Short mmCIF file of all heavy atoms in Angstrom, two decimals:
data_model
loop_
_atom_site.label_atom_id
_atom_site.label_comp_id
_atom_site.label_asym_id
_atom_site.label_seq_id
_atom_site.Cartn_x
_atom_site.Cartn_y
_atom_site.Cartn_z
N ASN A 871 -3.25 -9.53 16.40
CA ASN A 871 -3.72 -10.72 15.70
C ASN A 871 -5.13 -10.42 15.22
O ASN A 871 -5.98 -10.00 16.01
CB ASN A 871 -3.71 -11.93 16.64
CG ASN A 871 -4.19 -13.20 15.96
OD1 ASN A 871 -5.39 -13.42 15.80
ND2 ASN A 871 -3.25 -14.05 15.58
N MET A 872 -5.39 -10.64 13.94
CA MET A 872 -6.65 -10.22 13.35
C MET A 872 -7.81 -11.15 13.70
O MET A 872 -8.95 -10.90 13.29
CB MET A 872 -6.51 -10.11 11.83
CG MET A 872 -5.53 -9.03 11.40
SD MET A 872 -5.94 -7.37 12.01
CE MET A 872 -7.38 -7.01 11.02
N GLY A 873 -7.55 -12.20 14.45
CA GLY A 873 -8.64 -13.07 14.89
C GLY A 873 -8.80 -14.28 13.99
O GLY A 873 -8.09 -14.47 13.01
N GLY A 874 -9.75 -15.12 14.36
CA GLY A 874 -10.00 -16.34 13.61
C GLY A 874 -11.23 -17.03 14.18
O GLY A 874 -12.08 -16.39 14.80
N GLU A 875 -11.29 -18.34 14.03
CA GLU A 875 -12.42 -19.09 14.54
C GLU A 875 -12.48 -19.00 16.06
O GLU A 875 -11.50 -19.29 16.75
CB GLU A 875 -12.30 -20.56 14.11
CG GLU A 875 -13.50 -21.41 14.50
CD GLU A 875 -13.37 -22.85 14.02
OE1 GLU A 875 -12.33 -23.16 13.39
OE2 GLU A 875 -14.29 -23.64 14.27
N ASN A 876 -13.62 -18.57 16.58
CA ASN A 876 -13.83 -18.42 18.03
C ASN A 876 -12.84 -17.44 18.65
O ASN A 876 -12.50 -17.57 19.84
CB ASN A 876 -13.73 -19.78 18.74
CG ASN A 876 -14.76 -20.77 18.24
OD1 ASN A 876 -15.91 -20.39 17.95
ND2 ASN A 876 -14.36 -22.03 18.11
N ARG A 877 -12.34 -16.48 17.86
CA ARG A 877 -11.35 -15.56 18.39
C ARG A 877 -11.49 -14.21 17.70
O ARG A 877 -11.46 -14.13 16.48
CB ARG A 877 -9.94 -16.12 18.18
CG ARG A 877 -8.86 -15.40 18.97
CD ARG A 877 -7.50 -16.03 18.74
NE ARG A 877 -7.00 -15.79 17.39
CZ ARG A 877 -6.99 -16.67 16.42
NH1 ARG A 877 -7.45 -17.88 16.62
NH2 ARG A 877 -6.53 -16.36 15.21
N GLU A 878 -11.65 -13.16 18.49
CA GLU A 878 -11.76 -11.82 17.95
C GLU A 878 -10.38 -11.21 17.73
O GLU A 878 -9.37 -11.74 18.20
CB GLU A 878 -12.56 -10.93 18.92
CG GLU A 878 -14.00 -11.38 19.14
CD GLU A 878 -14.70 -10.49 20.14
OE1 GLU A 878 -14.39 -9.28 20.19
OE2 GLU A 878 -15.56 -11.00 20.88
N CYS A 879 -10.35 -10.10 17.02
CA CYS A 879 -9.11 -9.35 16.86
C CYS A 879 -8.60 -8.94 18.23
O CYS A 879 -9.36 -8.49 19.09
CB CYS A 879 -9.39 -8.12 15.99
SG CYS A 879 -7.95 -7.09 15.67
N VAL A 1009 -1.69 -16.72 19.92
CA VAL A 1009 -2.80 -16.33 20.78
C VAL A 1009 -3.78 -17.49 20.81
O VAL A 1009 -4.10 -18.09 19.79
CB VAL A 1009 -3.48 -15.03 20.27
CG1 VAL A 1009 -3.96 -15.17 18.84
CG2 VAL A 1009 -4.63 -14.64 21.18
N MET A 1010 -4.22 -17.83 22.02
CA MET A 1010 -5.06 -19.00 22.23
C MET A 1010 -6.51 -18.57 22.42
O MET A 1010 -6.91 -18.12 23.51
CB MET A 1010 -4.58 -19.77 23.46
CG MET A 1010 -3.09 -20.11 23.43
SD MET A 1010 -2.75 -21.46 22.32
CE MET A 1010 -3.41 -22.82 23.27
N GLY A 1011 -7.32 -18.71 21.38
CA GLY A 1011 -8.70 -18.30 21.46
C GLY A 1011 -9.54 -19.15 22.39
O GLY A 1011 -10.56 -18.69 22.91
N ASP A 1012 -9.13 -20.40 22.60
CA ASP A 1012 -9.90 -21.29 23.47
C ASP A 1012 -9.39 -21.30 24.90
O ASP A 1012 -9.83 -22.12 25.71
CB ASP A 1012 -9.89 -22.72 22.91
CG ASP A 1012 -8.49 -23.23 22.63
OD1 ASP A 1012 -7.54 -22.42 22.68
OD2 ASP A 1012 -8.34 -24.44 22.35
N HIS A 1013 -8.45 -20.41 25.23
CA HIS A 1013 -7.96 -20.27 26.59
C HIS A 1013 -8.24 -18.84 27.05
O HIS A 1013 -7.54 -17.91 26.66
CB HIS A 1013 -6.46 -20.57 26.67
CG HIS A 1013 -6.12 -22.02 26.49
ND1 HIS A 1013 -6.27 -22.67 25.29
CD2 HIS A 1013 -5.63 -22.94 27.37
CE1 HIS A 1013 -5.89 -23.93 25.43
NE2 HIS A 1013 -5.50 -24.12 26.67
N ILE A 1014 -9.26 -18.68 27.86
CA ILE A 1014 -9.68 -17.36 28.31
C ILE A 1014 -9.11 -17.07 29.70
O ILE A 1014 -9.20 -17.91 30.61
CB ILE A 1014 -11.22 -17.25 28.35
CG1 ILE A 1014 -11.81 -17.56 26.97
CG2 ILE A 1014 -11.66 -15.87 28.83
CD1 ILE A 1014 -11.37 -16.61 25.89
N TYR A 1023 -7.44 -13.33 25.97
CA TYR A 1023 -6.89 -14.58 25.48
C TYR A 1023 -5.49 -14.82 26.03
O TYR A 1023 -4.73 -13.87 26.29
CB TYR A 1023 -6.82 -14.57 23.95
CG TYR A 1023 -8.14 -14.31 23.26
CD1 TYR A 1023 -8.27 -13.27 22.34
CD2 TYR A 1023 -9.25 -15.10 23.51
CE1 TYR A 1023 -9.47 -13.03 21.69
CE2 TYR A 1023 -10.46 -14.86 22.88
CZ TYR A 1023 -10.56 -13.82 21.97
OH TYR A 1023 -11.75 -13.58 21.35
N GLU A 1038 -0.94 -21.74 11.53
CA GLU A 1038 -2.32 -21.31 11.56
C GLU A 1038 -2.42 -19.82 11.89
O GLU A 1038 -1.43 -19.19 12.27
CB GLU A 1038 -3.10 -22.14 12.59
CG GLU A 1038 -3.14 -23.62 12.28
CD GLU A 1038 -3.88 -24.41 13.35
OE1 GLU A 1038 -4.38 -23.78 14.32
OE2 GLU A 1038 -3.96 -25.64 13.22
N ASP A 1039 -3.63 -19.27 11.77
CA ASP A 1039 -3.78 -17.83 12.02
C ASP A 1039 -3.54 -17.46 13.48
O ASP A 1039 -3.39 -16.27 13.80
CB ASP A 1039 -5.16 -17.33 11.57
CG ASP A 1039 -6.32 -18.09 12.19
OD1 ASP A 1039 -6.12 -18.78 13.21
OD2 ASP A 1039 -7.44 -17.98 11.65
N LYS A 1040 -3.46 -18.44 14.38
CA LYS A 1040 -3.09 -18.15 15.77
C LYS A 1040 -1.68 -17.56 15.84
O LYS A 1040 -1.36 -16.85 16.79
CB LYS A 1040 -3.14 -19.43 16.61
CG LYS A 1040 -4.50 -20.08 16.73
CD LYS A 1040 -4.41 -21.39 17.51
CE LYS A 1040 -5.74 -22.09 17.59
NZ LYS A 1040 -5.64 -23.40 18.29
#
Side-chain angles (χ1 to χ4, degrees):
N871 180 281
M872 296 302 289
E875 185 178 0
N876 300 322
R877 193 179 70 256
E878 298 178 32
C879 181
V1009 57
M1010 307 285 287
D1012 52 350
H1013 289 68
I1014 303 298
Y1023 303 125
E1038 298 178 1
D1039 56 17
K1040 297 176 183 177

